[in-house]
Amino acid sequence: GLNFRDVLIALGVYPDSDAVLGGEGAGVVVEVAPDVTGVRVGDEVFGLFEGAGPVAVADARLVAAKPAEWSWEQAAAVPVVFLTAYYGLVDLAAAKPGERVLIHAAAGGVGSAATQLARHLGLEVFGTASTGKWDTLHATGYDATHIANSRTLDFEQHFLDATDGAGVDIVLDCLAGEFVDATLRLLPRGGRFLELGKADIRDPDTIGADHPGITYQAYDLAEAGTPRLQQILADIVDLFTRGILQPIPVSSFDIRR
């Protein structure tokens, strides 16, 4: 699976200079360590690992059985985006039914996963995307009131109007500069601001001083730790099995491209 982290690494702008391409995928188990139980040679699995290539080494706790009806491409695109969205909304934001969440880049990978999870959690979901992707948002249940353009600052007033000035309770952000400032103003009653982007990470203390009641946190999925990631992966698999979650759309490319 290829996600935005890999793009940043390839461009040489990812904060961790030791990071390597490849953090997720799907494949057939070719070997297991003597102490591994629950995973056998020949199993078709998907999950998290480090390093891309024809063969990868994975922690057995961070893979799960690939549903038979999924393509390899669908399975490879699931782990990072769904675990990232789940960890943010459930663990960090402690989202509660009836709250409002703003998901920037809602047509993207994490945005698509977060939209599904947020609705399952009982949240009212607002999303931004470039206008060319609005059809994608409409197809996933967004109406005009809950969509705004991520390429201009108009989303601030649009969502304030839609909520009678109350704004939202939770933000999943990946923007930068004045777009972050406008988004912070959409939490006039305080709330949780979760930063997924790498281009404009703010100081939490400064945010808290300038915007009383807002908890700001930039996060990476790895911070959850292996035991918690194992639990989240199991929860996500259960939600897929019950039909609550659906794989996100994927685009496939020849590796030589």
Side-chain angles (χ1 to χ4, degrees):
L2 178 72
N3 59 64
F4 196 59
R5 175 179 180 270
D6 295 307
V7 176
L8 296 177
I9 293 171
L11 293 173
V13 295
Y14 192 73
D16 181 1
S17 59
D18 295 325
V20 296
L21 290 169
E24 62 182 342
V28 178
V29 177
V30 295
E31 186 177 3
V32 296
D35 60 337
V36 169
T37 60
V39 180
R40 297 178 297 179
V41 172
D43 285 355
E44 296 184 348
V45 299
F46 72 103
L48 301 173
F49 55 80
E50 181 138 336
V55 178
V57 178
D59 186 320
R61 295 169 292 177
L62 298 182
V63 298
K66 180 182 83 69
E69 66 273 17
W70 288 6
S71 69
W72 289 111
E73 291 84 358
Q74 284 179 312
V78 163
V80 166
V81 296
F82 278 95
L83 268 72
T84 298
Y86 187 109
Y87 180 56
L89 291 172
V90 175
D91 289 51
L92 301 181
K96 305 176 190 65
E99 291 188 312
R100 295 182 175 124
V101 61
L102 168 57
I103 302 171
H104 279 308
V110 174
S112 298
T115 294
Q116 294 186 49
L117 283 164
R119 288 176 177 152
H120 167 63
L121 294 170
L123 306 181
E124 182 179 359
V125 186
F126 296 82
T128 66
S130 60
T131 53
K133 297 179 181 179
W134 283 13
D135 286 347
T136 299
L137 295 188
H138 285 306
T140 56
Y142 283 90
D143 61 24
T145 301
H146 292 78
I147 294 176
N149 190 353
S150 59
R151 299 290 192 266
T152 75
L153 299 176
D154 294 343
F155 66 82
E156 178 186 355
Q157 193 59 52
H158 179 74
F159 290 145
L160 284 175
D161 291 343
T163 59
D164 295 324
V168 299
D169 304 288
I170 302 166
V171 171
L172 282 183
D173 185 62
C174 58
L175 305 180
E178 58 187 351
F179 291 86
V180 173
D181 299 323
T183 304
L184 286 165
R185 293 191 292 270
L186 280 168
L187 295 161
R189 298 169 294 120
R192 290 87 85 200
F193 190 107
L194 300 178
E195 180 59 76
L196 289 166
K198 305 297 181 186
D200 187 10
I201 295 177
R202 306 288 178 93
D203 177 65
D205 293 335
T206 301
I207 295 295
D210 293 343
H211 302 273
I214 294 181
T215 301
Y216 176 94
Q217 185 166 3
Y219 77 98
D220 287 308
L221 181 59
E223 296 167 5
T226 298
R228 180 57 183 149
L229 289 175
Q230 182 181 20
Q231 294 172 342
I232 295 174
L233 181 60
D235 284 351
I236 287 171
V237 169
D238 176 63
L239 292 172
F240 275 111
T241 301
R242 291 157 54 196
I244 294 171
L245 298 179
Q246 301 294 328
I248 61 173
V250 296
S251 298
S252 300
F253 300 89
D254 187 301
I255 192 66
R256 290 166 294 186
R257 294 179 60 194

